[in-house]
Amino acid sequence: MRPHRGYHHGDLANALIRTALAMLPERGIQALSLREVARRAGVSHSAAYRHFADKEALLARIATQGFERLTAMMRAAKSACAPDPLRRLRNIGLAYVEFGRQHPHHLQIMFGGQIGDLHAHPELALVAREAFDELAGTVREGRRCGAIRNGDERTATLASWALVHGLAMLLAGGRVRLQDPRDADSLALSEGVVQLLQTGLIGKNGD
Amino acid sequence: MRPHRGYHHGDLANALIRTALAMLPERGIQALSLREVARRAGVSHSAAYRHFADKEALLARIATQGFERLTAMMRAAKSACAPDPLRRLRNIGLAYVEFGRQHPHHLQIMFGGQIGDLHAHPELALVAREAFDELAGTVREGRRCGAIRNGDERTATLASWALVHGLAMLLAGGRVRLQDPRDADSLALSEGVVQLLQTGLIGKNGD
DNA sequence: ACCTGAACACCGTTCAAGT
DNA sequence: ACCTGAACACCGTTCAAGT
């Protein structure tokens, strides 16, 4: 409550993460400095090094939280619909895209190349794999019950991932602009795109 | 030819770009500094400012060259196959993915969020649109001649873009690792993924 | 155990001055 | 016209010292 006075109460690590997340929308990831994060959190710049090995470790923790949230959104989407693998795959894909729209800066940190090697941060590598497995497991299920009949497993999984990942990245990076990011237009578009992978461009059914 | 002696011969701007591109694979975009680029090019750090307004302007020029090369590769792929829209769309998509595999750092700069707003660099916005139009034009052609029957134009275009963009980004970021990036495995996988969007996951034809 | 402040080597950017 | 060198305000990181 008193910002610039001595010790920080309790959990400085999370306070730094929250401060960094609040700064990202203001000036972008490019301008994010550890010194300013510490300054805004009301501690000296060197205090951060008690909690994070370096700047990349802070970004890795933010990325980790991003993957955890992404996984949670995909699981919620899976539970919220009938146990039909194709519906589930569709909903999981939509959740992925929705995550990117809601948390563009998380997505940039998770995939933007700031963090060179995932495996330098074991916790991050773990949650990234869990998120991937959520999607991969649903594709496998779809193939097992015969709903997905084209392509081998690896190809079908990668295509599903690439499609929603690409759309999420384009939305997060502002390359695809929508009238109003909060309205139904974006959802309708995402639904159409995700649906297209299931039915194929060639198809027979209009829309 | 004599690195640390007075004026740089002729085209310093391009020498700086080439130097930056040579440095990127070594330590990544995160560690790229204008001062070191100038140092390696054999000029003082302030000399770069005669040719680029700031660091972002250098990155924007690199991104611009990336889009030009991407467009060239897509055009070559289009010309190199029968004038069937579906084949062309497939080849253009494969060219997009191949670009990402060959020039991962270009792709990171083009889409990684280092450059906040494309429209701050008119030349960049132009070539980015030209690359997009190459793909969009082929989708439109496919719909006009009835080869693409599912989805409206916007959805079909965005799905095509998102799929290859996502795959290219995942490959460039090292999230999808292949046995040997130079061998046929990657090409076969890319072909399978791109093919899946045309036929759909549900489909009927095995492989 | 947790934080501070000085210190070091670096960076982006500007600007008067040189040829 | 093109480049240099000093200068300024900033950064990431380390470390002895404080409570």
Side-chain angles (χ1 to χ4, degrees):
Chain A
M1 280 301 167
R2 340 163 224 149
H4 286 273
R5 288 279 263 95
Y7 279 30
H8 191 276
H9 56 84
D11 196 358
L12 179 56
N14 276 310
L16 291 170
I17 291 174
R18 279 197 306 274
T19 306
L21 287 175
M23 287 169 59
L24 279 170
E26 293 173 20
R27 313 205 291 120
I29 190 178
Q30 204 59 200
L32 189 80
S33 86
L34 215 50
R35 282 177 105 110
E36 192 179 350
V37 171
R39 214 178 296 141
R40 290 218 207 178
V43 295
S44 79
H45 56 267
S46 48
Y49 289 85
R50 279 292 137 187
H51 303 273
F52 300 99
D54 50 25
K55 187 183 177 183
E56 188 174 298
L58 172 63
L59 295 178
R61 277 276 270 284
I62 291 175
T64 298
Q65 293 191 350
F67 276 112
E68 285 167 349
R69 175 147 204 87
L70 172 59
T71 299
M73 286 178 70
M74 290 195 288
R75 285 188 181 147
K78 187 162 71 172
S79 304
C81 75
D84 166 24
L86 286 180
R87 276 183 199 280
R88 286 191 156 174
L89 185 59
R90 191 193 68 126
N91 275 23
I92 285 178
L94 289 175
Y96 197 110
V97 176
E98 186 61 18
F99 172 82
R101 253 219 10 240
Q102 287 179 14
H103 310 286
H105 294 102
H106 269 103
L107 203 65
Q108 297 276 22
I109 293 174
M110 291 153 72
F111 293 101
Q114 313 282 331
I115 300 167
D117 186 16
L118 283 197
H119 300 281
H121 311 270
E123 190 76 15
L124 176 55
L126 181 74
V127 293
R129 169 146 277 278
E130 279 176 7
F132 171 76
D133 286 344
E134 204 60 38
L135 208 154
T138 307
V139 171
R140 178 180 297 121
E141 217 183 303
R143 282 174 48 81
R144 191 162 42 73
C145 75
I148 294 177
R149 293 192 278 180
N150 266 344
D152 61 15
E153 182 170 323
R154 193 182 181 209
T155 304
T157 304
L158 190 52
S160 301
W161 188 18
L163 184 82
V164 295
H165 181 68
L167 184 52
M169 290 295 280
L170 291 171
L171 286 169
R175 253 60 170 188
V176 173
R177 224 168 299 280
L178 301 169
Q179 284 80 333
D180 183 348
R182 284 181 310 281
D183 74 5
D185 181 53
S186 148
L187 185 61
L189 191 65
S190 303
E191 281 176 346
V193 168
V194 171
Q195 192 61 39
L196 261 187
L197 180 62
Q198 299 198 0
T199 55
L201 286 171
I202 298 172
K204 285 156 194 188
N205 25 349
D207 263 8
Chain B
M1 283 299 166
R2 339 160 228 154
H4 285 274
R5 288 277 264 98
Y7 280 30
H8 192 277
H9 55 87
D11 196 357
L12 179 55
N14 275 310
L16 290 170
I17 290 174
R18 279 197 306 272
T19 306
L21 287 175
M23 286 168 59
L24 279 170
E26 292 174 21
R27 312 205 291 121
I29 190 176
Q30 204 59 200
L32 188 79
S33 86
L34 215 50
R35 282 177 106 110
E36 192 180 350
V37 171
R39 214 178 297 139
R40 290 219 207 177
V43 295
S44 79
H45 56 266
S46 48
Y49 289 86
R50 279 291 137 189
H51 303 273
F52 300 100
D54 50 25
K55 188 183 175 182
E56 187 173 299
L58 172 63
L59 294 179
R61 276 276 270 283
I62 291 174
T64 299
Q65 294 190 352
F67 277 112
E68 285 167 349
R69 174 145 204 90
L70 172 59
T71 299
M73 285 177 71
M74 290 195 288
R75 286 188 181 148
K78 187 163 72 172
S79 304
C81 75
D84 167 24
L86 287 180
R87 278 183 196 281
R88 285 191 157 174
L89 185 58
R90 192 193 68 127
N91 275 23
I92 284 177
L94 289 176
Y96 197 109
V97 176
E98 186 60 18
F99 172 81
R101 253 222 8 243
Q102 287 179 13
H103 309 286
H105 294 102
H106 269 103
L107 203 66
Q108 296 277 23
I109 294 175
M110 290 155 71
F111 293 101
Q114 313 283 332
I115 300 167
D117 186 15
L118 282 197
H119 299 283
H121 310 270
E123 190 76 14
L124 176 55
L126 182 73
V127 293
R129 170 146 274 280
E130 280 176 5
F132 171 76
D133 286 343
E134 203 60 37
L135 208 154
T138 307
V139 171
R140 178 181 295 123
E141 216 183 305
R143 282 175 48 82
R144 193 162 41 73
C145 75
I148 294 176
R149 291 192 279 182
N150 266 346
D152 61 15
E153 182 169 323
R154 196 183 179 205
T155 305
T157 303
L158 191 51
S160 302
W161 188 17
L163 184 83
V164 295
H165 182 68
L167 184 53
M169 291 295 280
L170 291 171
L171 286 170
R175 253 61 169 188
V176 174
R177 224 167 300 280
L178 301 170
Q179 284 78 332
D180 182 349
R182 284 181 310 281
D183 74 6
D185 182 54
S186 149
L187 185 60
L189 192 65
S190 304
E191 280 176 348
V193 168
V194 171
Q195 192 62 39
L196 262 188
L197 180 62
Q198 299 198 0
T199 55
L201 286 172
I202 299 171
K204 284 158 196 187
N205 25 349
D207 266 7

